[in-house]
Amino acid sequence: MSINQLNLSAFRCHLEADFLFSYHINVITGDNGSGKTSVLEAVHLLSTGKSFRTPNIKKIIHHKESTLSVSARTNNGLQLGLSFNRAGEKRIRINQHNQSQVEAASQLPVVCVDPSSYLFLENN
C-alpha cells in the first residue's frame, strides 16, 4: 500500500499543506527549514502516533493553532486521519470511523531508519 495524498493542518511549519504522491518514487526537495522532514514525520505520526523528532507531540502543533491534523488517502482507497490538540487528546479515524493506534499502524506500517539504526545490529 502507498499514500496517494497527504494533508497537513497546523503541523509544524505547515499551516495548511496538501501533497500528491506517485505510486513509485517521490522526491521531496526544498530549502533548509522548509518542512521536508516534517512531511516524513507526519506520515510516521499517522502510523505510530509518535514523532521521531520529539517525545512531546504538543511541540509539533503550529504555534498559532490549538489542534493539528494529518490525513492520508492510500492507493487502495483507505482514508486515515489523526488529530491531536494541546490538551493531549488524540483522535484516530480510518474511513471515518474512530480506531486505535494499533489499527492505524496495521493499515499503514512505517519503518523509520535513522543514522543510529545500525546500533541495533551491531550490539546484538
Side-chain angles (χ1 to χ4, degrees):
M1 168 181 7
S2 65
I3 294 176
N4 289 346
Q5 183 177 354
L6 181 69
N7 307 97
L8 307 179
S9 176
F11 191 93
R12 290 204 183 265
C13 66
H14 299 287
L15 193 53
E16 292 290 330
D18 300 316
F19 301 91
L20 298 175
F21 298 109
S22 164
Y23 178 73
H24 298 287
I25 295 174
N26 295 275
V27 178
I28 301 170
T29 63
D31 293 335
N32 287 345
S34 64
K36 301 178 299 293
T37 303
S38 295
V39 173
L40 301 175
E41 182 182 20
V43 173
H44 188 270
L45 180 72
L46 190 56
S47 174
T48 66
K50 298 177 183 176
S51 165
F52 58 75
R53 294 168 77 186
T54 179
N56 186 353
I57 301 266
K58 294 175 191 174
K59 289 185 176 184
I60 65 178
I61 300 172
H62 191 280
H63 68 277
K64 295 182 181 178
E65 302 296 324
S66 60
T67 303
L68 71 77
S69 67
V70 177
S71 63
R73 180 181 300 273
T74 65
N75 64 331
N76 63 356
L78 194 66
Q79 292 179 304
L80 297 107
L82 176 139
S83 64
F84 192 87
N85 65 29
R86 292 196 187 279
E89 300 165 328
K90 180 169 54 171
R91 183 171 158 186
I92 301 159
R93 296 180 60 83
I94 300 175
N95 290 336
Q96 307 301 322
H97 299 286
N98 290 333
Q99 294 289 337
S100 70
Q101 192 65 61
V102 171
E103 185 62 27
S106 71
Q107 295 296 322
L108 185 65
V110 170
V111 174
C112 183
V113 179
D114 64 62
S116 63
S117 295
Y118 75 92
L119 292 173
F120 173 76
L121 297 173
E122 192 171 272
N123 293 331
N124 289 315

